[in-house]
Amino acid sequence: QVQLVESGGGLVLPGGSLRLSCAASGIAFSIFGMSWYRQSPGKEREFVATISASENTNYADSVKGRFTISRDNAKNTVYLQMNSLKPEDTARYYCGVFGTAHWGKGTLVTVSS
């Protein structure tokens, strides 16, 4: 079965950085696009970023210029480098296989002073 395991979340000060990882198994990773979404309590799930199999990327306006999505097919892993973090970035971050209902359990990112 498809398994996606996010890691790298934690507590960070405003303006700080975190790098999230999502390790995938059970899929031919290199042929699938991958996405990051986030969700805060009481809010709808929000698109963050997507990277295609050919490594084309798309970002939500709220994170453009601050976040970078990348992938390492040899490691079956997708990353989200988050810089210049803001309190409004606080959320649980989930990775998923693009265009499917396959998601991990998420990793919590808290940005506060």
Side-chain angles (χ1 to χ4, degrees):
Q1 63 178 354
V2 177
Q3 293 187 0
L4 302 168
V5 181
E6 301 94 336
S7 62
L11 176 64
V12 64
L13 294 171
S17 298
L18 284 174
R19 189 191 194 195
L20 307 184
S21 299
C22 174
S25 61
I27 60 170
F29 180 82
S30 64
I31 69 171
F32 289 99
M34 299 293 294
S35 297
W36 287 96
Y37 279 72
R38 65 188 183 186
Q39 187 169 28
S40 299
K43 296 184 178 181
E44 298 293 328
R45 188 179 67 173
E46 177 187 22
F47 168 77
V48 176
T50 292
I51 184 166
S52 72
S54 58
E55 301 193 16
N56 293 317
T57 58
N58 287 288
Y59 299 91
D61 288 343
S62 59
V63 307
K64 285 181 179 177
R66 300 189 297 119
F67 291 11
T68 303
I69 188 170
S70 61
R71 65 192 298 157
D72 186 338
N73 290 340
K75 296 181 178 179
N76 286 0
T77 300
V78 62
Y79 303 96
L80 186 68
Q81 177 66 47
M82 306 185 296
N83 299 325
S84 302
L85 283 162
K86 305 174 181 179
E88 51 262 46
D89 295 318
T90 296
R92 193 165 189 89
Y93 285 71
Y94 300 87
C95 71
V97 181
F98 183 80
T100 77
H102 295 125
W103 297 93
K105 294 182 179 180
T107 185
L108 181 63
V109 173
T110 303
V111 185
S112 67
S113 58

